[in-house]
Amino acid sequence: MTTNTSLHHPAPRPGRPVSPSYQQLPIIDLSAADRGPQARALLHAQLHSAAHDVGFFQLTGHGVTDTETRALLDATHRFFALPEADRLALDNTGSPHFRGYTRTGDERTGGSRDWRDQLDIGAERPARAPRPGEPAYWWLEGPNQWPAALPALRTAALAWIDRLSDVAERLLRELLAAIGAPAGFYDPVFGDHAHPHLKLVRYPGSASDGADQGVGAHKDYGFLTLLLQDRIGGLQVQRADGLFHDVPPLPGAFVVNLGELLEVATDGYLLATNHRVVSPPGATERFSVPFFYNPRLDARVEPLPFPHASTAPGITDDPANPLFAEYGFNELKGKLRAHPLAAARHHAELLAPA
């Protein structure tokens, strides 16, 4: 993804224990699926272990070119270099669909402020308001907000959504096959009405009050997340020891994690894992581009038939974070929590009483 091979390992912060010995997530080469039965069998063994034991891995061999990546990263950097007034013209508090720009400190994770700003982008669709009797999650479908001064951003972002949707579709099919499930079992919940989500994110360095929460510990809502991170680092993944471990950037790789729907689908056999970002030190900027591979909003995720189902431990029991089989409710739950200003402005009736 990037030709810069230097790695940066953020120093542990007070009160944020990390393991100094942890160096890398499993590395999965997706191109092995095309190199014959033996290579594909090894790929499946590696995928099975990574998804069952960790819930995170680095993905290489995905076919996304440096040219495609540079086009997106160039547009991303140019967006955050726009005058603040141009970015604020896209403020997501003006969108009932939670699309647009979020200022630094306006997003919340776990009830605490995230020190980053971002642009939220989804499939480009007409505005939709739920009709009487329809689920409130239909508010999440609607148009994006684009900067008039940077038309290249729209082209690059929508091309990236299409490109990574293809990669994620292939990866999901290989993952399901790896655990002995029908590879195309979830094909019907995607298709033309899938609900992909792309974020362009900047971490501007440490907050003035010393807080180091770039983004707080959380799990993702959907099936798969493919993250393009720069060389600065700061992503951390919680492992079985309860500690958060650094994920050093690997040039040319996506960091992949499993979302809550795969945990629900497999009754906990596959892991949706907590992760967070620690703010870079001082005024150092960090850029990242997570892509979320999500099904249709109205998709109900049926239990996955696979031979290891009898050994599944059950989904995570967290009363503060209920998991829903119908995807739209998962995402709406997260959006209302993460974007309180937009939620209060457009969806006050959906917010729980204080």
Side-chain angles (χ1 to χ4, degrees), residues 289-303:
V289 184
F291 168 79
F292 305 91
Y293 186 57
N294 304 323
R296 300 190 325 263
L297 288 170
D298 60 349
R300 288 195 61 84
V301 179
E302 299 297 331

PDB file of all heavy atoms in Angstrom, residues 289-303:
ATOM      1  N   VAL A 289      -7.535   4.692   6.900  1.00  0.00           N
ATOM      2  CA  VAL A 289      -8.739   4.570   6.083  1.00  0.00           C
ATOM      3  C   VAL A 289      -9.350   3.200   6.341  1.00  0.00           C
ATOM      4  O   VAL A 289      -8.978   2.214   5.695  1.00  0.00           O
ATOM      5  CB  VAL A 289      -8.433   4.749   4.589  1.00  0.00           C
ATOM      6  CG1 VAL A 289      -9.735   4.716   3.776  1.00  0.00           C
ATOM      7  CG2 VAL A 289      -7.685   6.052   4.329  1.00  0.00           C
ATOM      8  N   PRO A 290     -10.281   3.090   7.284  1.00  0.00           N
ATOM      9  CA  PRO A 290     -10.973   1.818   7.477  1.00  0.00           C
ATOM     10  C   PRO A 290     -12.157   1.678   6.512  1.00  0.00           C
ATOM     11  O   PRO A 290     -12.895   2.629   6.267  1.00  0.00           O
ATOM     12  CB  PRO A 290     -11.458   1.900   8.928  1.00  0.00           C
ATOM     13  CG  PRO A 290     -11.585   3.359   9.208  1.00  0.00           C
ATOM     14  CD  PRO A 290     -10.584   4.061   8.336  1.00  0.00           C
ATOM     15  N   PHE A 291     -12.313   0.471   5.971  1.00  0.00           N
ATOM     16  CA  PHE A 291     -13.442   0.120   5.120  1.00  0.00           C
ATOM     17  C   PHE A 291     -14.217  -0.989   5.811  1.00  0.00           C
ATOM     18  O   PHE A 291     -13.643  -2.010   6.214  1.00  0.00           O
ATOM     19  CB  PHE A 291     -12.969  -0.359   3.746  1.00  0.00           C
ATOM     20  CG  PHE A 291     -14.060  -0.997   2.934  1.00  0.00           C
ATOM     21  CD1 PHE A 291     -14.996  -0.215   2.270  1.00  0.00           C
ATOM     22  CD2 PHE A 291     -14.168  -2.382   2.857  1.00  0.00           C
ATOM     23  CE1 PHE A 291     -16.020  -0.797   1.542  1.00  0.00           C
ATOM     24  CE2 PHE A 291     -15.196  -2.974   2.128  1.00  0.00           C
ATOM     25  CZ  PHE A 291     -16.113  -2.171   1.468  1.00  0.00           C
ATOM     26  N   PHE A 292     -15.518  -0.812   5.934  1.00  0.00           N
ATOM     27  CA  PHE A 292     -16.371  -1.755   6.648  1.00  0.00           C
ATOM     28  C   PHE A 292     -17.275  -2.475   5.644  1.00  0.00           C
ATOM     29  O   PHE A 292     -18.071  -1.846   4.946  1.00  0.00           O
ATOM     30  CB  PHE A 292     -17.210  -1.024   7.694  1.00  0.00           C
ATOM     31  CG  PHE A 292     -16.401  -0.202   8.660  1.00  0.00           C
ATOM     32  CD1 PHE A 292     -16.124   1.140   8.395  1.00  0.00           C
ATOM     33  CD2 PHE A 292     -15.881  -0.766   9.813  1.00  0.00           C
ATOM     34  CE1 PHE A 292     -15.368   1.905   9.269  1.00  0.00           C
ATOM     35  CE2 PHE A 292     -15.111  -0.016  10.697  1.00  0.00           C
ATOM     36  CZ  PHE A 292     -14.858   1.318  10.425  1.00  0.00           C
ATOM     37  N   TYR A 293     -17.124  -3.792   5.577  1.00  0.00           N
ATOM     38  CA  TYR A 293     -17.904  -4.624   4.656  1.00  0.00           C
ATOM     39  C   TYR A 293     -19.158  -5.083   5.383  1.00  0.00           C
ATOM     40  O   TYR A 293     -19.112  -5.976   6.243  1.00  0.00           O
ATOM     41  CB  TYR A 293     -17.055  -5.812   4.210  1.00  0.00           C
ATOM     42  CG  TYR A 293     -17.688  -6.674   3.146  1.00  0.00           C
ATOM     43  CD1 TYR A 293     -18.097  -6.147   1.931  1.00  0.00           C
ATOM     44  CD2 TYR A 293     -17.836  -8.045   3.342  1.00  0.00           C
ATOM     45  CE1 TYR A 293     -18.653  -6.954   0.943  1.00  0.00           C
ATOM     46  CE2 TYR A 293     -18.384  -8.860   2.360  1.00  0.00           C
ATOM     47  CZ  TYR A 293     -18.787  -8.303   1.167  1.00  0.00           C
ATOM     48  OH  TYR A 293     -19.343  -9.107   0.187  1.00  0.00           O
ATOM     49  N   ASN A 294     -20.256  -4.450   5.046  1.00  0.00           N
ATOM     50  CA  ASN A 294     -21.510  -4.648   5.757  1.00  0.00           C
ATOM     51  C   ASN A 294     -22.598  -5.136   4.801  1.00  0.00           C
ATOM     52  O   ASN A 294     -22.626  -4.759   3.634  1.00  0.00           O
ATOM     53  CB  ASN A 294     -21.993  -3.335   6.379  1.00  0.00           C
ATOM     54  CG  ASN A 294     -20.971  -2.713   7.300  1.00  0.00           C
ATOM     55  OD1 ASN A 294     -20.261  -3.409   8.015  1.00  0.00           O
ATOM     56  ND2 ASN A 294     -20.884  -1.388   7.284  1.00  0.00           N
ATOM     57  N   PRO A 295     -23.558  -5.917   5.297  1.00  0.00           N
ATOM     58  CA  PRO A 295     -24.656  -6.395   4.453  1.00  0.00           C
ATOM     59  C   PRO A 295     -25.762  -5.353   4.316  1.00  0.00           C
ATOM     60  O   PRO A 295     -25.630  -4.216   4.782  1.00  0.00           O
ATOM     61  CB  PRO A 295     -25.143  -7.618   5.219  1.00  0.00           C
ATOM     62  CG  PRO A 295     -24.924  -7.242   6.651  1.00  0.00           C
ATOM     63  CD  PRO A 295     -23.631  -6.440   6.663  1.00  0.00           C
ATOM     64  N   ARG A 296     -26.846  -5.743   3.691  1.00  0.00           N
ATOM     65  CA  ARG A 296     -28.021  -4.874   3.630  1.00  0.00           C
ATOM     66  C   ARG A 296     -28.470  -4.514   5.041  1.00  0.00           C
ATOM     67  O   ARG A 296     -28.332  -5.301   5.980  1.00  0.00           O
ATOM     68  CB  ARG A 296     -29.187  -5.591   2.934  1.00  0.00           C
ATOM     69  CG  ARG A 296     -28.928  -6.028   1.524  1.00  0.00           C
ATOM     70  CD  ARG A 296     -30.243  -6.492   0.867  1.00  0.00           C
ATOM     71  NE  ARG A 296     -31.133  -7.166   1.799  1.00  0.00           N
ATOM     72  CZ  ARG A 296     -31.230  -8.481   1.939  1.00  0.00           C
ATOM     73  NH1 ARG A 296     -30.453  -9.282   1.226  1.00  0.00           N
ATOM     74  NH2 ARG A 296     -32.089  -9.010   2.793  1.00  0.00           N
ATOM     75  N   LEU A 297     -29.034  -3.347   5.179  1.00  0.00           N
ATOM     76  CA  LEU A 297     -29.513  -2.933   6.495  1.00  0.00           C
ATOM     77  C   LEU A 297     -30.574  -3.888   7.041  1.00  0.00           C
ATOM     78  O   LEU A 297     -30.640  -4.135   8.248  1.00  0.00           O
ATOM     79  CB  LEU A 297     -30.072  -1.509   6.425  1.00  0.00           C
ATOM     80  CG  LEU A 297     -29.033  -0.399   6.270  1.00  0.00           C
ATOM     81  CD1 LEU A 297     -29.719   0.927   5.970  1.00  0.00           C
ATOM     82  CD2 LEU A 297     -28.173  -0.275   7.522  1.00  0.00           C
ATOM     83  N   ASP A 298     -31.402  -4.420   6.164  1.00  0.00           N
ATOM     84  CA  ASP A 298     -32.490  -5.289   6.627  1.00  0.00           C
ATOM     85  C   ASP A 298     -32.092  -6.761   6.653  1.00  0.00           C
ATOM     86  O   ASP A 298     -32.951  -7.637   6.845  1.00  0.00           O
ATOM     87  CB  ASP A 298     -33.743  -5.102   5.776  1.00  0.00           C
ATOM     88  CG  ASP A 298     -33.524  -5.434   4.307  1.00  0.00           C
ATOM     89  OD1 ASP A 298     -32.363  -5.612   3.903  1.00  0.00           O
ATOM     90  OD2 ASP A 298     -34.519  -5.514   3.560  1.00  0.00           O
ATOM     91  N   ALA A 299     -30.816  -7.049   6.468  1.00  0.00           N
ATOM     92  CA  ALA A 299     -30.364  -8.446   6.456  1.00  0.00           C
ATOM     93  C   ALA A 299     -30.438  -9.047   7.854  1.00  0.00           C
ATOM     94  O   ALA A 299     -29.958  -8.456   8.823  1.00  0.00           O
ATOM     95  CB  ALA A 299     -28.935  -8.528   5.937  1.00  0.00           C
ATOM     96  N   ARG A 300     -31.028 -10.207   7.935  1.00  0.00           N
ATOM     97  CA  ARG A 300     -30.982 -10.999   9.165  1.00  0.00           C
ATOM     98  C   ARG A 300     -29.903 -12.063   8.992  1.00  0.00           C
ATOM     99  O   ARG A 300     -29.914 -12.808   8.020  1.00  0.00           O
ATOM    100  CB  ARG A 300     -32.326 -11.653   9.465  1.00  0.00           C
ATOM    101  CG  ARG A 300     -33.386 -10.657   9.926  1.00  0.00           C
ATOM    102  CD  ARG A 300     -34.566 -11.378  10.568  1.00  0.00           C
ATOM    103  NE  ARG A 300     -34.167 -12.133  11.744  1.00  0.00           N
ATOM    104  CZ  ARG A 300     -34.045 -11.611  12.965  1.00  0.00           C
ATOM    105  NH1 ARG A 300     -34.260 -10.321  13.169  1.00  0.00           N
ATOM    106  NH2 ARG A 300     -33.677 -12.364  13.980  1.00  0.00           N
ATOM    107  N   VAL A 301     -28.997 -12.104   9.906  1.00  0.00           N
ATOM    108  CA  VAL A 301     -27.855 -13.003   9.786  1.00  0.00           C
ATOM    109  C   VAL A 301     -28.212 -14.348  10.413  1.00  0.00           C
ATOM    110  O   VAL A 301     -28.266 -14.493  11.632  1.00  0.00           O
ATOM    111  CB  VAL A 301     -26.614 -12.386  10.454  1.00  0.00           C
ATOM    112  CG1 VAL A 301     -25.429 -13.326  10.347  1.00  0.00           C
ATOM    113  CG2 VAL A 301     -26.287 -11.058   9.789  1.00  0.00           C
ATOM    114  N   GLU A 302     -28.482 -15.321   9.524  1.00  0.00           N
ATOM    115  CA  GLU A 302     -28.851 -16.655   9.990  1.00  0.00           C
ATOM    116  C   GLU A 302     -27.637 -17.378  10.550  1.00  0.00           C
ATOM    117  O   GLU A 302     -26.497 -17.140  10.125  1.00  0.00           O
ATOM    118  CB  GLU A 302     -29.443 -17.464   8.826  1.00  0.00           C
ATOM    119  CG  GLU A 302     -30.698 -16.854   8.221  1.00  0.00           C
ATOM    120  CD  GLU A 302     -31.852 -16.778   9.211  1.00  0.00           C
ATOM    121  OE1 GLU A 302     -31.897 -17.654  10.124  1.00  0.00           O
ATOM    122  OE2 GLU A 302     -32.675 -15.867   9.095  1.00  0.00           O
ATOM    123  N   PRO A 303     -27.848 -18.269  11.515  1.00  0.00           N
ATOM    124  CA  PRO A 303     -26.716 -19.033  12.060  1.00  0.00           C
ATOM    125  C   PRO A 303     -25.991 -19.791  10.952  1.00  0.00           C
ATOM    126  O   PRO A 303     -26.614 -20.361  10.054  1.00  0.00           O
ATOM    127  CB  PRO A 303     -27.382 -19.990  13.049  1.00  0.00           C
ATOM    128  CG  PRO A 303     -28.668 -19.322  13.429  1.00  0.00           C
ATOM    129  CD  PRO A 303     -29.112 -18.587  12.195  1.00  0.00           C
TER     130      PRO A 303
END
